[in-house]
Amino acid sequence: MTVRTRFAPSPTGYLHVGGARTALFSYLYARKHGGQFVLRIEDTDLERSTAESVNAILEGMTWLGLDYDEGPFYQTHRFDRYNAVIDELLEKGLAYRCDCPKDRLEKLRVDQMARKMKPRYDGRCRNRQIDPDTPHVIRFKNPVDGAVVVDDMIRGRVPFSNEELDDLIIRRSDGAPTYNLSVVVDDADMEITHVIRGDDHLTNTPRQINILKALGFEPPRYAHVPMILGDDGARLSKRHGAVSVIAYRDQGYLPEALLNYLIRLGWSHGDQEIFSVEQMIELFDISDVNKAASAFNTDKLDWLNQQYIQHAEPARIARLLSPHMGKLDIDPSTGPELADVVTAQAARAKTLTELAEISAFCYRDFDDYDEGSAKKHLRPVAREGLERLRAAFDLMAFEDWTPEQLKHVVERVSEELEVNMGKVAQPLRVAIVGRAASPGIDETLMLVGKEATLRRIDKALAYIEARASA
RNA sequence: GCUCUCUUCGUCUAGUGGUUAGGACGCUGGCCUCUCACGCCGGUAACAGGGGUUCGAAUCCCCUAGAGAGUACCA
């Protein structure tokens, strides 16, 4: 039996991190076992499903690199099949028509709650003959006694008494099938062997197993993964900032970093923190997933993202960084090779957005100095050093503008003035970067280039002058 | 309310009857150093509570508390 898993989101919003994680788990499980991963769009709710959501989900899957072998299948394209199954159930007496008005159902619910009972349909229409031409829904005839055990790969055996379950609606009055019916039919038709999904579906599972049995299908294995909470331990919502996978992309996270972060939420392999997708496939097992929900921690994601930015191929990071430079109105082709900038800056940024911001000085002059940095370093005492540096730089030929030579010049000037290198390098750094933090002074000068260096030193000297006479 | 689920440092986790309860992020002290980072070394901090079982419980059982899910003509 070849393993077949599926990811089955409903297109009522973007792909959020919780969905992405269950998709990842399903993907890995299929890949690990040499099986197939299917994508299915559960759009039976015509009211709430949108094409934009479908696109957002597809875009998120693509960005993460969670490629599927089959699909996307759309449930709205399979209504005939669902209806055939419902009709079959009807004919066999395993389902029935119900015309109970909503207000009766509502009253029933209120009464049951008042008597401290679990609200459930009372089966009034089970043996009534409803005219097929009058408005009605179809309900599944759930077994009235006995129990159904969900043998979950993560939770273990979870028993449910059939007395807790009621006759759920499988076809709406508008003729559209409902979720519990369509998932069951699809999972069976698509020969899904392992259903990996959020644990909010755990209590639906016994109903689905009953339908499956009524239809004569063999139930798949189930694995209900716990949900992801926000930083504060509350249910994840827009309130927590980014929850959409695409928002993480736009904020400068790498897909491999997000994937790596997500797999470590509820799963681990000893003390290992960094996993390539290949390693995930090799090491992951759904039965090793924790039962408890876990809180999303952006600090750790940031750390992972930085690790990946730092160790990835600079050329690749440069490609991904380019659009972030664009957002700052910078055209990377107008300055140093972006890959060289990445090499110099990678250890200094947690996200690509941040990397772009701290690298802008390589491509254009800054407007204002960082206040604290200027106050501390651009003082009259720095004038002498800057003047000497300027003179030395001015004499340098284009081909001498190398990190080695540049470092040499800075060292020489500090020796001449008999001060520590920092006394010379820091004012120079603030002069050409605008603030007191940057790569090594030689690399920084190299990236900025001779022309801009001289221009910015002049600006700094003017600034010192103005400050001295103020 | 009812059914089901969950509970180890602030967070993610290791741990499956005997450990000084380990690692990671964060925070923090130091080293490195032209700055900021990176890196390296160190510190901080946890078994929800109470009963059992056992020579011995984070690990097994029960209860309590807290958290979550479901209880839709949503998925």
Side-chain angles (χ1 to χ4, degrees):
Chain A
M1 180 180 77
T2 81
V3 168
R4 286 170 62 84
T5 64
R6 45 62 155 194
F7 177 52
S10 65
T12 53
Y14 40 66
L15 176 62
H16 58 89
V17 291
R21 187 178 58 149
T22 49
L24 172 64
F25 286 175
S26 299
Y27 169 86
L28 293 176
Y29 195 77
R31 289 285 172 273
K32 181 187 179 70
H33 295 280
Q36 286 103 43
F37 176 53
V38 178
L39 178 63
R40 184 171 75 222
I41 304 296
E42 308 220 320
D43 53 356
T44 53
D45 186 343
L46 286 353
E47 299 273 308
R48 303 194 304 158
S49 299
T50 66
E52 295 76 60
S53 296
V54 171
N55 290 335
I57 290 165
L58 261 26
E59 193 181 358
M61 295 289 285
T62 302
W63 179 64
L64 289 172
L66 299 177
D67 45 299
Y68 32 93
D69 303 292
E70 292 175 26
F73 296 116
Y74 295 85
Q75 292 192 319
T76 42
H77 297 175
R78 292 173 44 80
F79 274 23
D80 288 349
R81 169 62 178 151
Y82 307 136
N83 280 320
V85 169
I86 292 168
D87 290 341
E88 180 190 329
L89 249 17
L90 224 35
E91 275 167 37
K92 289 183 176 167
L94 297 168
Y96 59 93
R97 296 186 178 85
C98 166
D99 65 355
C100 290
K102 285 190 179 178
D103 54 339
R104 178 181 119 76
L105 264 20
E106 183 54 35
K107 184 172 179 303
L108 186 65
R109 189 173 6 248
V110 171
D111 287 354
Q112 287 167 329
M113 295 268 277
R115 282 183 292 159
K116 301 192 173 188
M117 289 168 60
K118 185 184 173 94
R120 50 198 294 281
Y121 180 63
D122 62 359
R124 185 180 86 110
C125 297
R126 264 201 174 213
N127 300 304
R128 291 175 66 222
Q129 292 306 312
I130 312 284
D131 178 355
D133 294 327
T134 62
H136 65 274
V137 299
I138 307 293
R139 287 182 185 273
F140 173 68
K141 215 179 252 183
N142 198 76
V144 291
D145 51 24
V148 29
V149 175
V150 178
D151 189 10
D152 194 274
M153 291 196 286
I154 295 174
R155 313 270 152 170
R157 292 168 61 83
V158 185
F160 292 88
S161 167
N162 274 322
E163 290 172 22
E164 298 297 330
L165 276 23
D166 63 356
D167 294 344
L168 71 163
I169 292 171
I170 54 177
R171 181 193 283 161
R172 300 178 177 88
S173 49
D174 67 0
T178 59
Y179 166 73
N180 281 300
L181 186 280
S182 54
V183 249
V184 158
V185 174
D186 281 347
D187 286 339
D189 285 356
M190 295 174 191
E191 300 180 294
I192 301 302
T193 58
H194 299 261
V195 170
I196 298 170
R197 69 208 329 185
D199 74 357
D200 47 334
H201 289 284
L202 182 58
T203 46
N204 283 323
T205 309
R207 303 170 198 282
Q208 292 173 11
I209 289 177
N210 282 335
I211 297 176
L212 237 11
K213 284 179 178 166
L215 256 18
F217 293 129
E218 183 67 26
R221 291 302 311 275
Y222 292 96
H224 289 92
V225 320
M227 57 186 291
I228 297 178
L229 310 172
D231 297 66
D232 55 357
R235 187 177 186 160
L236 204 58
S237 69
K238 326 90 227 157
R239 186 165 52 76
H240 294 96
V243 286
S244 148
V245 160
I246 293 304
Y248 283 96
R249 178 195 65 188
D250 294 344
Q251 284 174 26
Y253 290 90
L254 304 183
E256 60 267 40
L258 186 56
L259 250 18
N260 197 146
Y261 180 71
L262 291 176
I263 196 174
R264 283 286 288 102
L265 237 37
W267 179 85
S268 63
H269 179 70
D271 289 340
Q272 191 172 341
E273 295 288 349
I274 309 284
F275 297 87
S276 65
V277 171
E278 291 67 33
Q279 286 178 309
M280 291 182 195
I281 292 170
E282 184 194 337
L283 302 169
F284 180 77
D285 196 326
I286 194 70
S287 58
D288 292 333
V289 173
N290 283 165
K291 297 174 180 179
S294 35
F296 195 95
N297 183 232
T298 306
D299 282 337
K300 186 147 185 185
L301 204 214
D302 282 347
W303 174 76
L304 270 170
N305 203 48
Q306 193 197 65
Q307 291 294 313
Y308 278 97
I309 288 176
Q310 203 175 161
H311 295 112
E313 202 59 51
R316 173 161 173 267
I317 298 300
R319 272 198 302 283
L320 298 172
L321 178 63
S322 202
H324 289 91
M325 298 300 287
K327 273 194 244 169
L328 297 178
D329 288 320
I330 289 170
D331 176 358
S333 68
T334 62
E337 274 300 320
L338 198 48
D340 292 340
V341 175
V342 170
T343 301
Q345 295 276 48
R348 294 177 175 76
K350 294 185 192 307
T351 63
L352 296 175
T353 311
E354 190 183 346
L355 187 54
E357 284 164 5
I358 64 171
S359 301
F361 77 90
C362 298
Y363 298 91
R364 68 172 176 217
D365 291 353
F366 47 88
D367 293 329
D368 299 299
Y369 294 107
D370 169 71
E371 201 180 322
S373 304
K375 190 174 178 187
K376 184 173 179 186
H377 298 292
L378 296 185
R379 296 186 293 168
V381 285
R383 188 191 293 138
E384 174 86 29
L386 286 173
E387 282 169 350
R388 287 185 183 234
L389 286 166
R390 193 201 186 288
F393 290 150
D394 200 17
L395 293 174
M396 288 172 72
F398 178 76
E399 57 271 23
D400 290 333
W401 197 264
T402 63
E404 298 73 36
Q405 295 293 327
L406 290 163
K407 184 162 191 185
H408 211 73
V409 169
V410 178
E411 282 170 346
R412 207 186 66 224
V413 170
S414 44
E415 279 163 23
E416 286 170 8
L417 296 177
E418 295 182 312
V419 295
N420 293 331
M421 191 165 143
K423 294 278 191 232
V424 173
Q426 280 303 84
L428 175 60
R429 172 171 279 114
V430 176
I432 62 175
V433 179
R435 60 200 142 75
S438 86
I441 195 67
D442 47 348
E443 291 176 275
T444 303
L445 289 164
M446 184 70 204
L447 292 170
V448 170
K450 179 174 173 178
E451 193 189 330
T453 295
L454 296 180
R455 185 169 66 237
R456 294 181 195 178
I457 290 177
D458 287 339
K459 177 180 168 175
L461 286 169
Y463 176 88
I464 292 172
E465 212 53 57
R467 191 172 154 188
S469 58

